[in-house]
C-alpha cells in the first residue's frame, strides 16, 4: 500500500433542506460577507435574506461564465473595499472557484496571476484563506471540496489553477434541493464532469485507498442517477445521488489528481466557448480507449486494466462481468451516456482539425496530465482529440 496524504474540508453538511441553516452557520465565521454567485437569482436572493436576518452584511458579486483573471481581481477589490471578513460561493464551479480564489487572496495579498500555475508567478498560498463557505447548486465540479481554483487567462490562451491546501473551504453545504431548477443541459454536462472526475481519480497515478472508496461510490451514483436527473429535474432522489457523486469526485480529485481529459480541458476551455462538462463528456471515452491501449502494450494484465474493469462493471450495473467485457464497457457506456444526454460535439464550438496540434501542445503542460495513469505519446494525444471532434 502506498503512503498517502489526505486533504478535506473540515465540515461538510449534506442533506435536503440544509440550506435553511446558512444564517446560523455563516454567523459563526464573520459579519461582512462577499457573496459570489451565478445561476439562480432567486436562490441568491434567498441566501442574502437569510444572511441579513442573521446580522450579516452581504455584498453581492455575480460571476458570469467561467472565472477569468479579471473577474477574480474585480471581486477581490469589491471584497476589500467592502471590508469583507468572509466569502460565500453559491452556484456552479465557476462561482465557487471565484469565491475560493478571492478568499485566498484576501488573506495572502496580491492578485490572481501572482499565484496561478503555468501562466502566472506560481507563488505559494502560505496563509489560511479568509473563512469561506461553498454552496453548490449544480452537481458537477466538486469545487466545494477541492483545494484549487481554476481561473482562465484568455490573453495567455490557457486555464490554470491557484492551488494549496490553505484554500479549502471552512465549510461545504450541499443541499440537493438547490439543484432542482438546474436546466437539463447543465445537468447533463456537469454530471458528466462529476462522472469523469471519479473515473480519472480512480485510474490516476495518484490514486490511494481513501480516494478509491469515494471514487467508486461516485461512479456508481452517477451511473445510476445522471440519466434520471436529466429526464426529470424534480427527481430529488436522483439529484441527491448526483450531489453525492460530485462531492465525492471533488474530494477524490483533490487528493488523487485527474488525467488527460482534464489536461485537454484547460486549453480547450480557454480558447473556445465550450462548457467544461462538454469537453469532459466528449473526451472521456477516447482517453479511456487510449489508456487501455497503452496499458495493453505493456502487459495483458496491467493493473490499470483491472481498474477500468471495475469502472465498466459499475457503469454497466453488472458485477459479474468478465474483465475483458468490463474493460470494453468502461468507454462504451460513457460514450452511450453522452449521446443519450444530447451532449453536443466539440466541432459545434469551433474546434476542428486545425486545433489538434496546438491544443495538444498546450494540454501537455496542464497539471492534470501528469496524473494520467500512463504516459501517452503526442501522437496518441492528438488522436484522442481528433476522435473527440
Amino acid at each position: 500500500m502506498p503512503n498517502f496524504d489526505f486533504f478535506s474540508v473540515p465540515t461538510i453538511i449534506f442533506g435536503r433542506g440544509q440550506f435553511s441553516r446558512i444564517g446560523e452557520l455563516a454567523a459563526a465565521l464573520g459579519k461582512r460577507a462577499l457573496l459570489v454567485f451565478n445561476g439562480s437569482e432567486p436562490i441568491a436572493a434567498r441566501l442574502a435574506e437569510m444572511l441579513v436576518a442573521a446580522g450579516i452584511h452581504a455584498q453581492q458579486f455575480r460571476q458570469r461564465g467561467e472565472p477569468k483573471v479579471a473577474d477574480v481581481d474585480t471581486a477581490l477589490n469589491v471584497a476589500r473595499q467592502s471590508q469583507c471578513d468572509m466569502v460565500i460561493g453559491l452556484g456552479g464551479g465557476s462561482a465557487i472557484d471565484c469565491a475560493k480564489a478571492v478568499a485566498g487572496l484576501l488573506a495572502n495579498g496580491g492578485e490572481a496571476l501572482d499565484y496561478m500555475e503555468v501562466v502566472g508567478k506560481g507563488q505559494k498560498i502560505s496563509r489560511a484563506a479568509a473563512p469561506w463557505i461553498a454552496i453548490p447548486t449544480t452537481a458537477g465540479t466538486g469545487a466545494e471540496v477541492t483545494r484549487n481554483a481554476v481561473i482562465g487567462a484568455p490573453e495567455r490562451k490557457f486555464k490554470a489553477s491557484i492551488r494549496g491546501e490553505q484554500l479549502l473551504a471552512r465549510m461545504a453545504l450541499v443541499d440537493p434541493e438547490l439543484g432542482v431548477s438546474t436546466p437539463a443541459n447543465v445537468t447533463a454536462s456537469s454530471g458528466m464532469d462529476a462522472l469523469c472526475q471519479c473515473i480519472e481519480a480512480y485510474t490516476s497515478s495518484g490514486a490511494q485507498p481513501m480516494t478509491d472508496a469515494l471514487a467508486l461510490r461516485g461512479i456508481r451514483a452517477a451511473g445510476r442517477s445522471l440519466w434520471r436527473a436529466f429526464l426529470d429535474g424534480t427527481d430529488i432522489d436522483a439529484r441527491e445521488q448526483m450531489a453525492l457523486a460530485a462531492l465525492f469526485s471533488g474530494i477524490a480529485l483533490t487528493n488523487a489528481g485527474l488525467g488527460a481529459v482534464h489536461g485537454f480541458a484547460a486549453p480547450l476551455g480557454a480558447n473556445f466557448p465550450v462548457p467544461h462538462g462538454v469537453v469532459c463528456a466528449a473526451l472521456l471515452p477516447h482517453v479511456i480507449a487510449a489508456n487501455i491501449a497503452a496499458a495493453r502494450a505493456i502487459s495483458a494484465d496491467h493493473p490499470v486494466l483491472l481498474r477500468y474493469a471495475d469502472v465498466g462493471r459499475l457503469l454497466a450495473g453488472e458485477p459479474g462481468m468478465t474483465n475483458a467485457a468490463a474493460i470494453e464497457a468502461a468507454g462504451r457506456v460513457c460514450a452511450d451516456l453522452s449521446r443519450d444526454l444530447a451532449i453536443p460535439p466539440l466541432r459545434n464550438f469551433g474546434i476542428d482539425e486545425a486545433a489538434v496540434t496546438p491544443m495538444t501542445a498546450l494540454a501537455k503542460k496542464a497539471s492534470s496530465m501528469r496524473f494520467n495513469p500512463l504516459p501517452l505519446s503526442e501522437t496518441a494525444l492528438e488522436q484522442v482529440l481528433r476522435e473527440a471532434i
Side-chain angles (χ1 to χ4, degrees), residues 117-134:
E117 301 171 340
V118 183
V119 299
K121 296 179 182 178
Q123 293 176 196
K124 181 178 176 60
I125 296 289
S126 57
R127 298 176 181 173
W132 76 281
I133 300 173

Side-chain angles (χ1 to χ4, degrees), residues 18-366:
Q18 294 302 300
F19 185 50
S20 63
R21 296 176 57 192
I22 187 59
E24 63 175 279
L25 296 171
L29 300 182
K31 292 296 183 183
R32 300 182 67 85
L34 177 71
L35 168 56
V36 182
F37 74 98
N38 65 359
S40 173
E41 291 188 357
I43 294 176
R46 182 182 167 201
L47 172 56
E49 290 174 0
M50 288 191 286
L51 293 175
V52 170
I56 300 170
H57 173 79
Q59 177 66 51
Q60 298 187 35
F61 178 86
R62 176 157 195 152
Q63 174 59 43
R64 300 183 184 277
E66 295 184 1
K68 300 177 178 62
V69 170
D71 297 326
V72 173
D73 288 343
T74 299
L76 176 63
N77 287 333
V78 171
R80 286 172 173 164
Q81 292 169 7
S82 300
Q83 298 182 315
C84 293
D85 56 6
M86 64 180 294
V87 182
I88 298 176
L90 172 76
S94 296
I96 291 174
D97 272 354
C98 182
K100 186 184 307 179
V102 169
L105 294 172
L106 275 177
N108 286 267
E111 299 178 333
L113 279 173
D114 293 331
Y115 301 91
M116 288 177 67
E117 301 171 340
V118 183
V119 299
K121 296 179 182 178
Q123 293 176 196
K124 181 178 176 60
I125 296 289
S126 57
R127 298 176 181 173
W132 76 281
I133 300 173
I135 310 174
T137 60
T138 62
T141 66
E144 63 270 18
V145 285
T146 61
R147 50 181 169 148
N148 68 300
V150 181
I151 312 297
E155 68 284 358
R156 306 188 189 199
K157 299 183 178 181
F158 205 78
K159 289 196 300 185
S161 288
I162 299 175
R163 189 184 307 272
E165 57 268 25
Q166 303 281 26
L167 288 177
L168 286 166
R170 190 72 61 87
M171 183 183 305
L173 193 160
V174 185
D175 186 336
E177 292 179 351
L178 298 181
V180 170
S181 61
T182 304
N185 65 317
V186 176
T187 296
S189 61
S190 61
M192 285 301 297
D193 183 23
L195 174 59
C196 177
Q197 289 174 168
C198 285
I199 293 172
E200 286 208 298
Y202 183 64
T203 56
S204 162
S205 61
Q208 40 110 322
M210 291 184 72
T211 59
D212 285 351
L214 294 168
L216 288 172
R217 180 64 177 81
I219 292 168
R220 184 175 68 176
R224 294 179 177 181
S225 302
L226 177 51
W227 175 242
R228 289 170 47 203
F230 173 73
L231 286 180
D232 179 7
T234 65
D235 184 338
I236 192 62
D237 291 334
R239 290 288 188 193
E240 187 172 58
Q241 289 299 310
M242 287 308 303
L244 193 69
L247 176 68
F248 285 0
S249 80
I251 300 173
L253 79 86
T254 206
N255 288 282
L258 291 165
V261 174
H262 280 79
F264 272 112
L268 287 173
N271 288 274
F272 298 92
V274 55
H276 176 75
V278 171
V279 174
C280 293
L283 285 164
L284 182 57
H286 306 293
V287 167
I288 289 175
N291 285 335
I292 289 172
R296 282 176 171 157
I298 297 172
S299 170
D301 57 355
H302 195 286
V304 168
L305 297 174
L306 299 180
R307 290 198 165 240
Y308 279 119
D310 292 337
V311 172
R313 290 188 188 96
L314 284 172
L315 291 178
E318 297 182 25
M321 289 181 83
T322 65
N323 282 342
I327 291 168
E328 188 277 332
R332 174 179 51 79
V333 174
C334 290
D336 290 347
L337 182 57
S338 292
R339 181 201 62 222
D340 293 342
L341 293 171
I343 302 287
L346 295 183
R347 61 180 174 273
N348 284 20
F349 302 91
I351 303 172
D352 56 18
E353 177 63 30
V356 170
T357 297
M359 291 300 103
T360 299
L362 288 171
K364 289 170 66 178
K365 300 177 183 179

